[in-house]
Protein backbone atom coordinates (compact mmCIF):
# COMPACT_ATOMS: atom_id res chain seq x y z
CA UNK A 1 0.00 0.00 0.00
CA UNK A 2 2.84 2.40 0.82
CA UNK A 3 4.40 1.71 -2.59
CA UNK A 4 1.11 2.53 -4.34
CA UNK A 5 0.73 5.83 -2.46
CA UNK A 6 4.39 6.65 -3.15
CA UNK A 7 4.01 5.95 -6.91
CA UNK A 8 0.75 7.91 -7.14
CA UNK A 9 2.34 10.86 -5.34
CA UNK A 10 5.31 10.85 -7.73
CA UNK A 11 2.98 10.66 -10.75
CA UNK A 12 0.84 13.51 -9.43
CA UNK A 13 3.90 15.70 -8.77
CA UNK A 14 5.33 15.02 -12.23
CA UNK A 15 1.96 15.70 -13.88
CA UNK A 16 1.44 19.04 -12.13
CA UNK A 17 5.06 20.00 -12.78
CA UNK A 18 4.48 19.70 -16.52
CA UNK A 19 1.09 21.46 -16.55
CA UNK A 20 1.14 24.54 -18.76
CA UNK A 21 -0.75 27.76 -18.14
CA UNK A 22 -3.63 27.81 -20.65
CA UNK A 23 -4.18 31.57 -20.55
CA UNK A 24 -2.25 34.79 -20.86
CA UNK A 25 0.69 35.38 -18.54
CA UNK A 26 0.03 37.21 -15.26
CA UNK A 27 2.51 40.00 -16.02
CA UNK A 28 5.39 40.18 -18.49
CA UNK A 29 7.94 42.89 -19.27
CA UNK A 30 9.73 43.09 -22.60
CA UNK A 31 11.77 45.26 -24.91
CA UNK A 32 11.08 45.37 -28.63
CA UNK A 33 12.71 46.77 -31.72
CA UNK A 34 10.92 47.28 -34.99
CA UNK A 35 10.95 49.20 -38.20
CA UNK A 36 11.86 52.77 -37.17
CA UNK A 37 11.58 52.40 -33.41
CA UNK A 38 12.28 50.78 -30.03
CA UNK A 39 9.93 50.18 -27.08
CA UNK A 40 9.76 48.91 -23.51
CA UNK A 41 6.43 47.47 -22.39
CA UNK A 42 4.38 45.50 -19.91
CA UNK A 43 1.46 43.14 -20.48
CA UNK A 44 -0.75 42.42 -17.48
CA UNK A 45 -3.52 39.82 -17.43
CA UNK A 46 -7.08 41.09 -17.13
CA UNK A 47 -8.82 37.77 -17.92
CA UNK A 48 -7.68 34.37 -19.19
CA UNK A 49 -7.64 35.68 -22.80
CA UNK A 50 -7.25 39.47 -22.37
CA UNK A 51 -4.11 41.39 -21.43
CA UNK A 52 -3.51 45.12 -21.15
CA UNK A 53 -0.32 46.19 -22.89
CA UNK A 54 1.23 49.53 -21.93
CA UNK A 55 4.42 50.78 -23.52
CA UNK A 56 6.80 53.68 -23.94
CA UNK A 57 8.94 53.98 -27.03
CA UNK A 58 10.84 56.16 -29.41
CA UNK A 59 9.69 56.24 -33.02
CA UNK A 60 11.63 57.62 -35.97
CA UNK A 61 10.57 59.37 -39.13
CA UNK A 62 12.36 60.49 -42.28
CA UNK A 63 11.58 63.11 -44.89
CA UNK A 64 13.45 64.02 -48.02
CA UNK A 65 12.99 66.07 -51.16
CA UNK A 66 14.85 66.51 -54.41
CA UNK A 67 16.41 69.89 -53.51
CA UNK A 68 17.09 69.38 -49.76
CA UNK A 69 18.94 67.11 -47.35
CA UNK A 70 17.16 64.16 -45.78
CA UNK A 71 15.64 65.08 -42.44
CA UNK A 72 15.11 62.65 -39.57
CA UNK A 73 13.29 62.88 -36.27
CA UNK A 74 13.03 60.66 -33.20
CA UNK A 75 10.09 61.30 -30.88
CA UNK A 76 8.39 59.61 -27.89
CA UNK A 77 5.29 57.43 -28.15
CA UNK A 78 2.97 56.17 -25.37
CA UNK A 79 0.63 53.24 -26.03
CA UNK A 80 -2.24 51.57 -24.20
CA UNK A 81 -3.59 48.45 -25.86
CA UNK A 82 -6.10 45.90 -24.53
CA UNK A 83 -5.26 42.68 -26.40
CA UNK A 84 -7.63 39.76 -26.85
CA UNK A 85 -5.53 36.60 -27.44
CA UNK A 86 -8.47 34.76 -28.96
CA UNK A 87 -6.76 31.46 -29.78
CA UNK A 88 -4.43 31.01 -26.79
CA UNK A 89 -6.55 28.19 -25.27
CA UNK A 90 -6.78 26.39 -28.62
CA UNK A 91 -2.99 26.62 -29.09
CA UNK A 92 -2.45 25.27 -25.58
CA UNK A 93 -4.86 22.35 -26.17
CA UNK A 94 -2.90 21.44 -29.33
CA UNK A 95 0.36 21.43 -27.35
CA UNK A 96 1.76 24.51 -29.11
CA UNK A 97 3.94 27.05 -27.34
CA UNK A 98 1.94 29.78 -25.58
CA UNK A 99 4.85 31.10 -23.52
CA UNK A 100 4.87 34.92 -23.21
CA UNK A 101 1.39 35.15 -24.78
CA UNK A 102 2.22 33.47 -28.08
CA UNK A 103 -1.10 33.63 -29.92
CA UNK A 104 -3.15 35.59 -32.45
CA UNK A 105 -4.67 38.78 -31.10
CA UNK A 106 -7.19 41.51 -31.84
CA UNK A 107 -6.74 44.89 -30.21
CA UNK A 108 -7.83 48.49 -30.13
CA UNK A 109 -4.61 50.48 -29.94
CA UNK A 110 -4.54 53.93 -28.32
CA UNK A 111 -1.32 55.87 -29.00
CA UNK A 112 -0.23 59.32 -27.93
CA UNK A 113 2.60 61.18 -29.66
CA UNK A 114 3.43 64.15 -27.39
CA UNK A 115 5.50 67.12 -28.45
CA UNK A 116 7.76 66.79 -25.40
CA UNK A 117 11.03 66.67 -27.31
CA UNK A 118 12.33 65.71 -30.73
CA UNK A 119 15.78 64.44 -31.59
CA UNK A 120 16.48 65.63 -35.13
CA UNK A 121 19.10 66.96 -37.54
CA UNK A 122 16.88 70.02 -38.07
CA UNK A 123 16.87 72.92 -35.61
CA UNK A 124 13.60 73.57 -33.74
CA UNK A 125 11.93 70.42 -35.08
CA UNK A 126 8.57 69.55 -33.56
CA UNK A 127 5.90 66.92 -33.86
CA UNK A 128 2.22 67.80 -33.59
CA UNK A 129 0.47 66.45 -30.48
CA UNK A 130 -1.60 63.57 -31.80
CA UNK A 131 -3.62 60.54 -30.74
CA UNK A 132 -4.34 57.45 -32.82
CA UNK A 133 -7.14 54.94 -32.31
CA UNK A 134 -6.54 51.87 -34.47
CA UNK A 135 -8.29 48.48 -34.40
CA UNK A 136 -5.63 45.93 -35.25
CA UNK A 137 -5.17 42.20 -35.88
CA UNK A 138 -1.84 40.49 -35.26
CA UNK A 139 0.18 37.47 -34.24
CA UNK A 140 2.80 37.09 -31.53
CA UNK A 141 5.07 34.03 -31.43
CA UNK A 142 7.91 32.86 -29.22
CA UNK A 143 11.06 31.87 -31.13
CA UNK A 144 12.08 28.27 -30.33
CA UNK A 145 10.66 28.28 -26.77
CA UNK A 146 13.11 31.05 -25.76
CA UNK A 147 12.44 34.52 -24.36
CA UNK A 148 12.72 36.02 -27.86
CA UNK A 149 9.55 36.68 -29.85
CA UNK A 150 8.29 38.32 -33.00
CA UNK A 151 5.07 40.13 -33.82
CA UNK A 152 3.23 41.07 -36.99
CA UNK A 153 0.05 43.10 -37.17
CA UNK A 154 -2.00 45.43 -39.32
CA UNK A 155 -4.77 47.95 -38.75
CA UNK A 156 -6.51 51.02 -40.14
CA UNK A 157 -7.96 53.68 -37.87
CA UNK A 158 -8.14 57.36 -37.04
CA UNK A 159 -5.59 59.98 -36.02
CA UNK A 160 -6.52 63.17 -34.19
CA UNK A 161 -4.24 66.20 -34.25
CA UNK A 162 -4.88 67.85 -30.88
CA UNK A 163 -3.64 71.38 -31.68
CA UNK A 164 -5.39 71.63 -35.06
CA UNK A 165 -8.45 69.67 -33.84
CA UNK A 166 -8.53 67.65 -37.07
CA UNK A 167 -9.31 63.94 -37.65
CA UNK A 168 -7.68 61.93 -40.44
CA UNK A 169 -7.31 58.27 -41.45
CA UNK A 170 -4.12 56.38 -40.64
CA UNK A 171 -2.71 52.86 -40.84
CA UNK A 172 -0.46 50.81 -38.59
CA UNK A 173 1.90 48.08 -39.69
CA UNK A 174 3.41 46.18 -36.75
CA UNK A 175 6.71 44.37 -37.40
CA UNK A 176 8.79 43.79 -34.25
CA UNK A 177 11.23 41.44 -32.59
CA UNK A 178 11.50 41.42 -28.82
CA UNK A 179 12.89 39.90 -25.66
CA UNK A 180 10.75 39.09 -22.61
CA UNK A 181 12.25 39.28 -19.11
Amino acid sequence: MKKTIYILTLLLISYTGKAQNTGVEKSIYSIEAGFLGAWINNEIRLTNEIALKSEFGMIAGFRGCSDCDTEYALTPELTLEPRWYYNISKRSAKGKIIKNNSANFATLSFRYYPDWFVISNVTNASVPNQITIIPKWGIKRTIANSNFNYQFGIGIGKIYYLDAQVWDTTADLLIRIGYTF
Side-chain angles (χ1 to χ4, degrees):
M1 183 67 168
K2 285 185 179 182
K3 283 184 180 180
T4 306
I5 292 173
Y6 180 72
I7 291 171
L8 287 175
T9 304
L10 283 177
L11 288 173
L12 183 62
I13 290 171
S14 67
Y15 176 74
T16 57
K18 292 182 180 179
Q20 185 177 17
N21 179 14
T22 59
V24 297
E25 300 282 340
K26 192 172 184 178
S27 178
I28 55 176
Y29 291 90
S30 61
I31 55 172
E32 298 173 353
F35 184 65
L36 300 178
W39 300 264
I40 183 164
N41 59 59
N42 171 254
E43 281 188 51
I44 188 165
R45 176 179 29 194
L46 299 178
T47 69
N48 206 29
E49 292 184 340
I50 298 174
L52 181 63
K53 181 178 183 179
S54 55
E55 73 181 358
F56 172 77
M58 296 296 287
I59 188 149
F62 296 91
R63 179 174 61 186
C65 56
S66 59
D67 59 340
C68 65
D69 293 332
T70 301
E71 300 173 359
Y72 70 85
L74 192 64
T75 187
E77 169 187 73
L78 299 167
T79 304
L80 197 58
E81 200 174 84
R83 285 186 168 187
W84 173 38
Y85 290 99
Y86 60 87
N87 73 334
I88 198 160
S89 298
K90 186 177 177 181
R91 286 180 55 80
S92 178
K94 288 183 175 182
K96 295 187 177 181
I97 298 170
I98 62 166
K99 179 180 178 180
N100 299 326
N101 301 341
S102 291
N104 298 3
F105 63 88
T107 186
L108 185 60
S109 177
F110 299 92
R111 288 198 175 141
Y112 174 50
Y113 301 91
D115 188 17
W116 292 340
F117 63 90
V118 177
I119 300 168
S120 177
N121 64 338
V122 177
T123 335
N124 298 326
S126 68
V127 172
N129 285 312
Q130 52 194 295
I131 296 173
T132 63
I133 303 169
I134 303 174
K136 191 169 35 179
W137 172 88
I139 64 169
K140 180 179 180 182
R141 296 292 188 269
T142 296
I143 301 171
N145 205 18
S146 69
N147 285 345
F148 289 96
N149 64 70
Y150 63 89
Q151 297 181 61
F152 297 107
I154 190 165
I156 297 175
K158 297 302 253 176
I159 186 168
Y160 182 69
Y161 296 98
L162 296 166
D163 298 331
Q165 297 183 350
V166 174
W167 284 97
D168 203 354
T169 302
T170 188
D172 186 13
L173 180 61
L174 173 72
I175 303 173
R176 293 186 186 176
I177 189 161
Y179 182 82
T180 303
F181 298 99

